[in-house]
Each structure stands twice: as structure tokens, then as C-alpha cells.
Amino acid sequence: METYKGKTPWTCGFAKEGEKQVAQRWLLRNRYHCKIIASEYNLQQQEIIEATKPFNKRPNKDTYLQDLDKKIEARLDLYFGRSK
């Protein structure tokens, strides 16, 4: 949405399909997540901050982040009965 200027053809600036585009989308998602979490209008902001404190105290975060995609999908199934 941020890249649409009302002209065709629409060039959003993403790379062609592949690893680089995946990285670009990942970066954008993280930016939006951070903005949502940090927003003063986020009613759950303090709850989220409290929930992250134990993670920040972990000595080896890299080990915890391995296979994160699988963990997220499993958690979606657990809480919502579906994934992605």
C-alpha cells in the first residue's frame, strides 16, 4: 500500500520471487509488528512487554529461535485450530 502511487504498471520495489523477496517481506512484517506493539494505542502493549522479559533473560536465544516457523504453526493450531 505504501508504494502505490496511482500509476500503472505498479512497481512496489520487491525483488523477483526468491530468497531476496522473502527477506524483504520478512523485514516489512517485522517493521509492522514493531510499530503495532510500540503504538500508544495498543491496549496489550504492557502485557506483551511483560511476556518478553523471560525470553530476554535466556542465555542462548539463537537455540530458542531455531525452527521458529514450525513452532509458530504448531501454536496457531493449538490456539485457533488452524495454521497460517
Side-chain angles (χ1 to χ4, degrees):
M1 291 185 304
E2 296 169 353
T3 61
Y4 185 67
K5 307 294 184 211
K7 298 177 184 173
T8 53
W10 177 17
T11 54
C12 62
F14 280 122
K16 298 222 185 253
E17 291 288 330
E19 288 290 320
K20 188 172 181 179
Q21 188 187 74
V22 170
Q24 288 174 324
R25 290 191 326 240
W26 185 83
L27 178 65
L28 275 179
R29 272 195 299 271
N30 283 321
R31 280 187 190 163
Y32 291 138
H33 290 155
C34 290
K35 286 183 184 262
I36 290 168
I37 290 169
S39 170
E40 64 185 73
Y41 300 108
N42 181 357
L43 301 176
Q44 283 80 31
Q45 181 183 34
Q46 200 56 41
E47 183 180 328
I48 292 168
I49 291 170
E50 291 298 319
T52 61
K53 285 182 180 178
F55 176 77
N56 288 330
K57 292 179 183 176
R58 290 176 186 260
N60 189 354
K61 295 180 185 93
D62 293 334
T63 303
Y64 182 76
L65 293 174
Q66 288 178 342
D67 301 323
L68 193 58
D69 290 341
K70 294 174 187 170
K71 292 176 185 176
I72 291 171
E73 190 170 326
R75 189 164 285 179
L76 283 172
D77 284 337
L78 176 68
Y79 289 107
F80 301 108
R82 62 175 172 76
S83 63
K84 294 185 182 178

